[in-house]
């Protein structure tokens, strides 16, 4: 079973167009966004949440919790669908939300994509509930297959306050080959993907609650050259290993078709109880002549 749809929003003079789907096993990657374009310019070939791993500071797990159609449920906002699409306004801006609500054992999870009329995209995962009475972390992996203005001719960069001018503006360093990186809040570390021809691009800004890698989930970002065989449709890794390091083989990322994996690490203290919702996710912010 699955649900899917086509978005052209707003209906008059659309700002965002894309397809979405929520599939069942074996394709378990939450709500998938396909062919997303902002103001007529492509942003993603595909964006998804293929892996959600949980590690307890106790004898339970680890677990890999796939988000799929089968564990999704209708909500009061959208009682006739397991994917809820709705528009709203905040701070004088309009936004479109595409979300699904899931239950996995004792966990309650909301997977949400928010598309703002100014081009900002907010991938989010919200979690509540405790499966085992020990502190734990949910490790959330988004796969972002950027095709800015089409496949190829993209370049990834990293910003740090200590980086000098290397031809891309003070603070920005280009990556020419595949790599993995850690967050570094003291240097305001962030990332960007830019199309070398149009100079349109997107910043990848870590969320304030996204945490940093640990021994169980050892990186925060992986930059890969696109390979179809590396898109596993949710069958990525296992409960014990995210499986991403095996894709790093020093391939060129200079003006190539790029995939960014971004990980957030949601810490949940058992003393807080299971009723409070915790949320993580980056902000994807456009730059250039959109």
């Amino acid at each position: 079973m699955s649900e899917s749809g086509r978005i052209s929003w707003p209906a008059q003079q659309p700002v965002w167009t894309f397809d979405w789907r929520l599939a069942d096993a074996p394709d378990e990657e939450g709500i998938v966004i396909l062919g997303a374009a902002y103001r007529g310019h492509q942003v993603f070939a595909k964006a998804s949440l293929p892996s959600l791993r949980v590690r307890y500071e106790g004898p339970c797990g680890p677990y890999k919790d796939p988000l799929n159609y089968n564990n999704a449920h209708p909500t009061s906002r959208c009682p006739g669908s397991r994917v809820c699409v709705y528009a709203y306004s905040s701070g004088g801006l309009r936004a479109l939300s595409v979300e699904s609500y899931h239950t996995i054992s004792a966990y309650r999870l909301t997977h949400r994509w928010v598309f703002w009329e100014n081009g900002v995209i907010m991938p989010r995962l919200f979690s509540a509930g405790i499966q085992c009475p020990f502190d734990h972390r949910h490790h959330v992996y988004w796969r972002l297959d950027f095709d800015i203005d089409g496949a190829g001719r993209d370049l990834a960069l990293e910003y740090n306050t200590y980086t000098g001018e290397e031809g891309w503006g003070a603070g920005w360093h280009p990556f020419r080959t595949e790599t993995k990186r850690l967050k570094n809040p003291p240097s305001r570390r962030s990332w960007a993907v830019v199309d070398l021809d149009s100079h349109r691009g997107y910043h990848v800004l870590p969320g304030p609650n996204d945490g940093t890698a640990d021994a169980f989930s050892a990186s925060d970002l992986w930059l890969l050259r696109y390979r179809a065989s590396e898109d596993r449709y949710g069958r990525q890794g296992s409960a014990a290993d995210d499986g991403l390091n095996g894709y790093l083989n020093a391939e060129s990322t200079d003006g190539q078709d790029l995939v960014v994996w971004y990980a957030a690490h949601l810490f949940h203290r058992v003393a807080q109880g299971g009723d409070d919702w915790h949320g993580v996710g980056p902000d994807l912010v456009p730059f250039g002549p959109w």
Side-chain angles (χ1 to χ4, degrees):
M1 298 290 289
S2 66
E3 287 185 13
S4 61
R6 173 71 175 170
I7 298 293
S8 184
W9 176 85
Q12 302 297 322
Q13 298 182 326
V15 173
W16 282 105
T17 57
F18 56 87
D19 296 313
W20 60 263
R21 71 165 182 249
L22 177 65
D24 211 343
D27 295 349
E28 303 174 293
E29 48 189 339
I31 298 173
V32 179
I33 304 298
L34 298 163
Y38 174 57
R39 298 193 182 279
H41 298 282
Q42 188 168 7
V43 178
F44 296 129
K46 178 181 178 183
S48 57
L49 198 164
S51 187
L52 175 59
R53 302 164 62 230
V54 185
R55 183 180 182 274
Y56 279 85
E57 296 178 6
C60 305
Y63 303 109
K64 187 171 187 284
D65 296 325
L67 301 179
N68 58 40
Y69 175 87
N70 188 56
N71 57 38
H73 307 275
T75 62
S76 58
R77 183 189 291 272
C78 296
S81 174
R82 301 191 190 195
V83 175
C84 190
V85 180
Y86 59 95
Y88 63 96
S89 297
S90 179
L93 287 174
R94 295 174 297 174
L96 184 76
S97 178
V98 184
E99 69 179 35
S100 53
Y101 171 72
H102 304 257
T103 58
I104 302 174
S105 298
Y107 299 134
R108 305 187 302 279
L109 303 150
T110 294
H111 180 207
R112 179 181 298 153
W113 295 93
V114 181
F115 297 86
W116 292 88
E117 65 177 329
N118 63 358
V120 172
I121 308 167
M122 297 169 59
R124 292 291 185 268
L125 184 79
F126 300 91
S127 175
I130 297 176
Q131 176 65 20
C132 190
F134 295 91
D135 292 350
H136 58 280
R137 296 185 94 190
H138 297 264
H139 301 274
V140 189
Y141 299 79
W142 283 274
R143 181 182 179 275
L144 308 172
D145 179 1
F146 285 102
D147 276 5
I148 298 176
D149 281 317
R153 297 292 294 160
D154 285 348
L155 180 70
L157 304 100
E158 178 179 276
Y159 177 84
N160 291 282
T161 54
Y162 56 73
T163 301
E165 171 62 63
E166 299 181 9
W168 297 91
W172 289 101
H173 168 76
F175 288 119
R176 308 292 184 182
T177 58
E178 294 182 329
T179 189
K180 61 180 179 179
R181 302 295 292 165
L182 298 172
K183 300 185 187 84
N184 188 37
S187 71
R188 296 170 55 196
R189 180 170 293 170
S190 65
W191 298 276
V193 175
V194 61
D195 181 84
L196 293 173
D197 296 321
S198 70
H199 304 294
R200 282 182 278 269
Y202 261 81
H203 294 287
V204 180
L205 306 178
N209 301 313
D210 285 0
T212 55
D214 58 19
F216 180 74
S217 180
S219 294
D220 294 314
L221 181 136
W222 294 259
L223 170 64
L224 303 173
R225 184 170 174 174
Y226 172 81
R227 296 296 181 196
S229 61
E230 296 175 0
D231 182 2
R232 301 289 308 282
Y233 294 83
R235 297 179 288 280
Q236 174 65 42
S238 66
D241 184 355
D242 55 48
L244 292 173
N245 287 343
Y247 296 156
L248 293 168
N249 52 18
E251 289 190 272
S252 171
T253 57
D254 189 351
Q256 303 296 328
D257 186 356
L258 303 184
V259 173
V260 172
W261 284 80
Y262 176 89
H265 315 277
L266 188 159
F267 189 59
H268 190 176
R269 297 185 184 278
V270 68
Q272 296 174 330
D275 293 333
D276 289 341
W277 286 85
H278 303 74
V280 291
D283 287 351
L284 311 179
V285 179
F287 63 91
W290 293 90

